[in-house]
Amino acid sequence: MDDILWGCIADDFTGASDAASFFKKGGLKTVLCNGIPNENMIFDKDVKAVVIALKIRSAKKDESVREALAALKYLQQKGVRQFYFKYCSTFDSTPEGNIGPVADAILDALGETKSILCPALPENGRTVKMGRLYVNGVPLDESPMKDHPVNPMWDSEICALMEPQSKYPCINVDVEEMKEEDEEIWNRLNAFEDLNGKYYIVPDYADRDNAKRITELFGSLKFLTGGSGIIEYLAGKSRESGEAEKTENKTKGRALIIAGSCSVATRRQIDKFIAEGGAAFKINPIRLLYEKQTVNDMWDFVKENAGKAVLVYSSDTPENVKYNQRHGAKEISESLEKAMAELAELAVENGYTRIISAGGETSGAIMKKLGFDSYIIGDSVDPGVPVMIPVQNRNLRVVLKSGNFGSDDFFKKAVKMTGI
């Protein structure tokens, strides 16, 4: 097998599909693996990017580091040339966040002295200016993301966020500095390294020109980190020849939409779907927890509306989520994930061929239940959200959306794009 150009370690499943979509868009044939594959797994010889989805976004630091290093070891054994750590733009601002420890551990394991921190995706409103992370022009700590129930965003300055998490310092490279000659920029960075040792570079990234410049300057580093925004350009830079294999996005059969994310974007998408006459069943988390509502109730609703795409959702406002969590945040979360995964399994067992899921934890639970461990990446419904084809079931199409991603009519678009 030819060398794999890129190996990507992602902190959750939707983040992994996001990253994989941009490797594909950049021209590389890409396979997404749900967890670390079996050592005996054989990739097609023309695969150029492998993305491994872990479930460490909200995990403890030690567990996250252990899982990430195991994934790194696997990718090294497969002959990967360059490595990427993909994390969510909800950059956990607490000292307990695991982005710093995981990045440090990979940097050390590879014996590298520097990497970049680039948690941006301008297509979805995530930008970095003067070292600060913004969503739709608002500092992330002033946006609705500040109230994220698991990964709160209490600051938006990336260097400040990393300080309590990482062993190594950061240095900003803003837009004006990136206009300088390469040699001048690297002279300054090398002087910083001489003084401080290992370090991270935080480049500004607000548009395509920034992405191209970042790729020129830092795209040859062995290890990079960030969101998915730069991945398309890295893939294009490293692609040697040829195009990524064309994939068939459409399949025959019925569609089921499952939404567990409570993000503003997903709630808008649910409202839009319902306003346009879509069939929707809302899960009551407390009734579900105490078995007053069951998966069979959900399935009965799905069957009653078998002639069209059906939405089953638990998404709610932060106030209602907090109210429900009086009954135990962990218990509520596990109950919802279990029910949604069982519902997806029921659907596939009964001939549904299109599963559309919103929310990282929800999607991870569903994919674990369905048991697929690798996917060929197709075209994207919206930036960062590709159609995926399970290697073990080529008739099935899966679309897994990070809670914050997608246009208001995302569900309608996903149903249309995957169906014949």
Side-chain angles (χ1 to χ4, degrees):
M1 184 177 71
D2 295 337
D3 285 345
I4 297 173
L5 301 178
W6 283 98
C8 177
I9 299 167
D11 65 358
D12 71 1
F13 200 99
T14 51
S17 63
D18 173 21
S21 74
F22 283 99
F23 280 116
K24 166 72 162 58
K25 190 176 179 182
L28 303 183
K29 182 174 180 179
T30 302
V31 170
L32 168 59
C33 302
N34 190 9
I36 301 169
N38 185 291
E39 291 184 2
N40 297 322
M41 181 174 177
I42 299 174
F43 297 106
D44 294 349
K45 66 179 182 179
D46 55 346
V47 168
K48 293 299 181 183
V50 174
V51 180
I52 295 179
L54 301 179
K55 194 176 181 182
I56 60 171
R57 182 181 174 197
S58 305
K60 298 295 185 183
K61 290 183 283 190
D62 290 348
E63 177 188 349
S64 302
V65 167
R66 185 168 58 249
E67 287 288 313
L69 289 179
L72 176 68
K73 182 179 179 182
Y74 175 86
L75 293 169
Q76 288 177 302
Q77 291 171 343
K78 291 296 181 182
V80 167
R81 296 185 192 177
Q82 289 179 274
F83 302 88
Y84 199 91
F85 172 37
K86 161 67 175 69
Y87 40 81
C88 183
S89 59
T90 307
F91 202 120
D92 186 345
S93 67
T94 72
E96 297 307 309
N98 61 36
I99 293 173
V102 170
D104 288 357
I106 296 175
L107 195 70
D108 292 345
L110 292 173
E112 297 297 302
T113 61
K114 54 188 163 289
S115 183
I116 67 170
L117 302 169
C118 190
L121 179 58
E123 290 95 328
N124 282 342
R126 275 58 171 174
T127 57
V128 176
K129 299 177 183 178
M130 303 297 288
R132 296 188 77 189
L133 186 53
Y134 292 79
V135 54
N136 297 322
V138 178
L140 211 56
D141 58 323
E142 298 174 19
S143 77
M145 304 288 277
K146 70 180 184 297
D147 298 317
H148 193 285
V150 181
N151 296 309
M153 187 68 208
W154 296 339
D155 202 331
S156 59
E157 186 176 344
I158 297 171
C159 289
L161 296 174
M162 283 292 282
E163 187 173 355
Q165 293 187 16
S166 171
K167 298 182 292 185
Y168 305 125
C170 302
I171 182 172
N172 293 333
V173 179
D174 63 36
V175 170
E176 291 304 314
E177 289 174 308
M178 283 196 289
K179 294 177 181 178
E180 298 172 358
E181 296 293 330
D182 291 13
E183 183 177 3
E184 189 172 351
I185 294 170
W186 278 111
N187 283 342
R188 185 164 57 255
L189 294 175
N190 290 337
F192 185 84
E193 181 176 338
D194 290 341
L195 186 64
N196 296 280
K198 295 183 181 182
Y199 69 106
Y200 294 103
I201 302 157
V202 180
D204 279 7
Y205 179 8
D207 56 35
R208 294 178 67 89
D209 289 339
N210 296 158
K212 293 173 183 176
R213 184 61 175 140
I214 292 167
T215 302
E216 290 172 358
L217 284 166
F218 309 119
S220 297
L221 295 178
K222 189 168 186 178
F223 172 51
L224 298 99
T225 88
S228 60
I230 196 175
I231 290 176
E232 176 187 352
Y233 304 91
L234 295 173
K237 180 178 186 295
S238 58
R239 181 163 55 86
E240 292 161 340
S241 63
E243 294 292 332
E245 188 175 78
K246 295 294 184 183
T247 53
E248 178 51 66
N249 301 305
K250 296 181 178 296
T251 189
K252 295 179 180 179
R254 291 170 288 181
L256 174 63
I257 307 163
I258 301 175
S261 169
C262 294
S263 72
V264 173
T266 296
R267 299 203 315 268
R268 282 202 307 262
Q269 290 154 1
I270 290 168
D271 291 344
K272 178 80 168 176
F273 182 84
I274 294 172
E276 293 183 345
F281 181 101
K282 184 172 184 179
I283 301 172
N284 183 312
I286 297 174
R287 288 180 58 80
L288 180 70
L289 182 65
Y290 295 110
E291 299 181 3
K292 301 297 183 182
Q293 190 178 71
T294 67
V295 174
N296 284 335
D297 294 330
M298 303 173 205
W299 181 238
D300 286 343
F301 181 85
V302 172
K303 289 190 295 183
E304 289 168 8
N305 293 275
K308 52 188 174 182
V310 179
L311 166 66
V312 177
Y313 69 102
S314 64
S315 311
D316 216 329
T317 64
E319 294 78 16
N320 288 343
V321 170
K322 186 176 180 179
Y323 180 83
N324 291 335
Q325 287 177 343
R326 295 175 307 142
H327 295 260
K330 183 173 183 289
E331 291 78 8
I332 289 280
S333 177
E334 289 177 351
S335 172
L336 286 169
E337 289 178 19
K338 181 174 182 291
M340 290 176 168
E342 289 177 358
L343 178 64
E345 183 180 46
L346 260 176
V348 172
E349 288 175 349
N350 284 274
Y352 278 71
T353 58
R354 293 178 281 157
I355 301 295
I356 299 157
S357 173
E361 300 297 326
T362 303
S363 298
I366 288 172
M367 290 302 100
K368 183 177 180 180
K369 187 69 173 177
L370 293 180
F372 304 125
D373 56 20
S374 59
Y375 306 81
I376 298 167
I377 302 302
D379 296 327
S380 294
V381 179
D382 271 333
V385 192
V387 176
M388 303 195 303
I389 306 168
V391 171
Q392 298 98 324
N393 184 348
R394 302 294 177 105
N395 294 321
L396 192 64
R397 298 295 181 271
V398 178
V399 179
L400 308 175
K401 184 189 81 70
S402 175
N404 301 301
F405 283 12
S407 56
D408 289 355
D409 61 346
F410 176 85
F411 293 142
K412 180 179 179 180
K413 287 163 62 177
V415 169
K416 182 178 180 180
M417 187 169 179
T418 56
I420 294 176

